[in-house]
Amino acid sequence: MPQIIPIKELKNTSEISDMCHKTQEPIFITKNGYGDMVIMSIENYEDTIQRLNVYRELEISEQQISEGRTKDARGSLSSMREKYDL
């Protein structure tokens, strides 16, 4: 369940850091009752970015498949072996 805290609690940086690492989820910061920022651990951020990159690559692949821009795997491997003398 996401953590939501008011911006005035950002004074307790050590506690917020502990919360980020314990929950392994982003913490949502509110200002005057409205969403303002999101804080997360570096590990969580890097995992999120990596996941987004995988999704982006899958989206590109699906688009290439729908456009018919595919190659035969055996033919591609064969040409790579010839090119690199494998």
Side-chain angles (χ1 to χ4, degrees):
M1 186 153 145
Q3 295 279 336
I4 301 171
I5 61 173
I7 199 164
K8 66 182 178 182
E9 289 188 25
L10 286 180
K11 296 179 229 169
N12 305 325
T13 56
S14 185
E15 284 181 34
I16 293 171
S17 175
D18 290 342
M19 285 173 40
C20 284
H21 292 282
K22 285 179 187 172
T23 63
Q24 297 181 347
E25 291 185 354
I27 297 175
F28 297 89
I29 310 298
T30 60
K31 184 176 181 181
N32 298 324
Y34 296 97
D36 187 50
M37 295 184 286
V38 177
I39 299 174
M40 64 177 68
S41 68
I42 289 176
E43 294 85 6
N44 190 352
Y45 174 77
E46 289 173 345
D47 289 345
T48 301
I49 294 300
Q50 184 179 10
R51 211 172 308 123
L52 287 173
N53 287 335
V54 169
Y55 292 149
R56 187 176 303 124
E57 292 296 325
L58 287 171
E59 185 179 359
I60 291 169
S61 296
E62 287 176 353
Q63 183 178 4
Q64 290 173 341
I65 290 169
S66 69
E67 293 171 356
R69 295 189 302 154
T70 60
K71 295 182 181 180
D72 176 66
R74 287 190 177 120
S76 294
L77 288 173
S78 181
S79 66
M80 285 175 62
R81 286 184 181 121
E82 289 174 11
K83 182 177 180 178
Y84 296 105
D85 294 323
L86 301 175

